């Protein structure tokens, strides 16, 4: 494992909600992410789906927290985008994050 890089492990979570993504923690402060904090961060991302990144500052350094999606899901999104942009009369497709 790369120092400062950690993905959540399914057995590590105490939150029983099933998700199609994992929590991705990057940075030297990731060692400060306790199971309780881990679950709270996941809950924040559940409640704020428009949020793509959370940054925490710890006494050991910063931690970037985001969702890590399976590659097949990303491939499906790209395929759907390509199908839409290939439709007659469609010039461009732009996806916006909610504010």
């Amino acid at each position: 494992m790369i120092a400062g890089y950690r993905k959540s492990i399914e057995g590590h979570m105490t939150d029983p909600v099933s998700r199609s993504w994992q929590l991705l923690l990057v940075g030297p402060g990731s060692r400060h992410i306790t199971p309780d904090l881990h679950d709270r961060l996941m809950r924040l991302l559940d409640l704020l789906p428009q949020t793509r990144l959370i940054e925490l500052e710890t006494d050991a350094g910063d931690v970037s927290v985001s969702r890590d999606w399976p590659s097949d899901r990303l491939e499906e999104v790209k395929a759907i985008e390509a199908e839409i942009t290939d439709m007659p009369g469609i010039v461009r497709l732009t996806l916006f994050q909610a504010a």
Side-chain angles (χ1 to χ4, degrees), residues 2 14 16 24 30-32 39 41 46-47 50 54 56-57 60 65 73 75 77 79:
I2 300 170
T14 57
L24 179 63
S30 64
R31 64 185 174 103
H32 286 291
D39 291 347
L41 291 166
D46 284 341
L47 292 170
Q50 73 278 13
I54 299 170
L56 294 173
E57 186 175 334
V65 181
R73 181 180 173 122
E75 290 168 6
V77 168

Side-chain angles (χ1 to χ4, degrees), residues 4 26-30 55-58 60-64:
V26 178
S30 64
E55 292 191 351
L56 294 173
E57 186 175 334
T58 74
D62 294 343
V63 182
S64 294

Side-chain angles (χ1 to χ4, degrees), residues 85-97:
T85 58
D86 288 344
M87 292 180 167
I90 303 300
V91 177
R92 179 177 61 197
L93 169 69
T94 306
L95 304 174
F96 294 94
Q97 296 289 326

Side-chain angles (χ1 to χ4, degrees), residues 70-85:
S71 61
D72 61 332
R73 181 180 173 122
L74 299 177
E75 290 168 6
E76 183 178 359
V77 168
K78 288 180 185 178
I80 293 169
E81 290 173 342
E83 290 169 1
I84 292 170
T85 58

